[in-house]
């Protein structure tokens, strides 16, 4: 719920017995935190855009305006993760990382870094203020909402080829009158991505929080999809439609536990016979 992916199949580690072991764990955390932020700095500085072809660190420094020493340090980080490679004094993207050097790929990579970093910082601030809650997703910071929306768009785009494995779903989404229910829509990344891919599809994007709803409406207008995507300020458990949607998306981790059962009941009523519910889950 707070972003930790714990490997539950592993046995719990034995309690630490020496202070040196604690310090070693803190060193590991320190390396992870700085690595994530150094990758984020490389993205924010435009370094990824310079890796689409071989270039020397001095050339990259001139193009980006970064000091050469900083370029070298950031390249070290990228190379350490296997994202970049050095050959004959030139730097370029590793073959697997090449898709992330173009505008769309760099945007997706940036979002995948920014979303957890920004949300983790908000979590830390809330903890210091005594305001931590596990009761759903409550961010109102536009930067967090934008980053999460871009990450959702990336996830949705990658999921589209897999939809053909769900019997009958693609045929439904391609048919006239196809309808999507996007629960907790946020910046409307899922609705926009699917409506762009399926020209006959329309979407109802439920987003009760004012900040995310405003960002989502702006993105829908920018995409030119106002006639196909409705941003609705409504909670999913209050949904009263019946047999209206071919596909519903439910992000379990964004909803308070208490509303999951009534939300599921409302969603099954709202689905057309044979419709599909896709649920993104992090907990039982």
């Amino acid at each position: 719920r707070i972003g930790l992916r714990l490997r539950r199949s592993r046995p719990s580690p034995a309690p630490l017995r020496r202070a040196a072991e604690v310090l070693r764990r803190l060193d590991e955390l320190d390396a992870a935190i700085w690595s994530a932020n150094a990758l984020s700095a490389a993205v924010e500085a435009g370094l990824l855009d310079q890796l689409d072809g071989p270039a020397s660190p001095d050339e990259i420094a001139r193009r980006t305006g970064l000091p050469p020493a900083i370029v070298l340090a950031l390249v070290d980080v990228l190379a350490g993760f296997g994202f970049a490679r050095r050959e004959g004094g030139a730097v370029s993207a590793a073959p697997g990382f090449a898709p992330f050097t173009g505008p769309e790929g760099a945007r997706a990579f940036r979002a995948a870094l920014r979303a957890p970093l920004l949300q983790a910082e908000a979590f830390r601030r809330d903890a210091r203020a005594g305001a931590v809650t596990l009761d759903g997703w409550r961010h109102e910071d536009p930067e967090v909402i934008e980053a999460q929306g871009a990450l959702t768009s990336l996830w949705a785009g990658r999921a589209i080829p897999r939809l053909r494995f769900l019997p009958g779903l693609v045929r439904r989404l391609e048919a006239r009158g196809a309808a999507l229910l996007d629960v907790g829509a946020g910046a409307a990344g899922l609705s926009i991505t699917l409506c762009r891919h399926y020209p006959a599809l329309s979407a109802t994007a439920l987003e009760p929080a004012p900040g995310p709803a405003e960002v989502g409406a702006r993105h829908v207008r920018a995409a030119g999809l106002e006639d196909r995507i409705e941003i609705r300020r409504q909670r999913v458990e209050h949904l009263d439609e019946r047999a209206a949607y071919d596909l519903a998306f439910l992000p379990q981790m964004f909803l308070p536990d208490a509303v999951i059962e009534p939300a599921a009941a409302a969603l099954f009523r709202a689905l057309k016979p044979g419709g599909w519910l896709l649920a993104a889950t992090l907990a039982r």
Side-chain angles (χ1 to χ4, degrees):
R1 183 57 63 82
I2 60 174
L4 298 175
R5 293 182 177 86
L6 301 178
R7 299 178 183 272
R8 298 189 184 279
S9 59
R10 293 182 179 178
S12 297
L16 300 180
R17 297 182 179 277
R18 293 185 294 274
E21 295 175 295
V22 175
L23 295 176
R24 186 172 67 250
R25 295 284 172 85
L26 289 176
D27 281 342
E28 293 169 358
L29 286 171
D30 181 79
I33 291 168
W34 277 103
S35 294
N37 280 280
L39 285 174
S40 182
V43 175
E44 303 290 353
L47 203 63
L48 299 193
D49 302 333
Q50 308 301 321
L51 299 180
D52 56 351
S56 71
D58 286 340
E59 289 177 297
I60 295 174
R62 284 196 299 271
R63 294 173 189 168
T64 60
L66 293 171
I70 296 296
V71 170
L72 285 171
L74 294 178
V75 165
D76 279 345
V77 173
L78 292 169
F81 278 93
F83 297 154
R85 59 183 178 180
R86 301 186 190 87
E87 291 180 346
V91 180
S92 61
F97 195 70
F100 296 98
T101 61
E104 284 302 308
R107 188 175 76 92
F109 190 81
R110 180 175 184 261
L113 282 168
R114 289 190 57 141
L117 287 173
L118 289 170
Q119 292 178 54
E121 174 60 19
F123 178 69
R124 187 189 65 79
R125 287 198 309 267
D126 288 346
R128 186 173 59 188
V132 169
T133 175
L134 300 182
D135 193 21
W137 199 83
R138 297 175 175 271
H139 293 283
E140 289 283 338
D141 184 336
E143 277 197 300
V144 173
I145 297 165
E146 292 280 5
Q148 186 65 39
L151 192 56
T152 301
S153 297
L154 171 65
W155 176 87
R158 292 179 60 187
I160 284 173
R162 303 176 188 178
L163 297 182
R164 69 181 185 275
F165 296 110
L166 305 182
L169 178 57
V170 170
R171 177 170 46 81
R172 283 173 169 269
L173 297 180
E174 292 175 340
R176 180 180 300 178
L180 161 71
L181 181 65
D182 182 4
V183 178
L190 179 85
S191 293
I192 291 171
T193 300
L194 291 183
C195 283
R196 281 175 169 165
H197 189 81
Y198 296 105
L201 182 66
S202 61
T204 299
L206 301 185
E207 182 46 71
E214 184 178 336
V215 173
R218 174 161 48 80
H219 283 201
V220 168
R221 290 193 299 270
L225 292 170
E226 305 100 309
D227 58 335
R228 293 172 54 200
I229 300 176
E230 174 195 3
I231 302 290
R232 187 187 297 175
R233 294 279 305 280
Q234 183 180 16
R235 295 177 63 91
V236 60
E237 66 269 30
H238 299 157
L239 192 70
D240 58 5
E241 292 166 283
R242 294 180 179 271
Y245 299 100
D246 298 281
L247 171 64
F249 175 69
L250 175 70
Q252 166 266 330
M253 72 288 289
F254 292 164
L255 273 65
D257 290 344
V259 307
I260 292 294
E261 189 171 341
L267 287 171
F268 281 115
R269 288 194 300 268
L271 284 172
K272 297 176 184 177
W276 279 90
L277 169 64
L278 296 182
T281 64
L282 288 179
R284 179 169 60 86

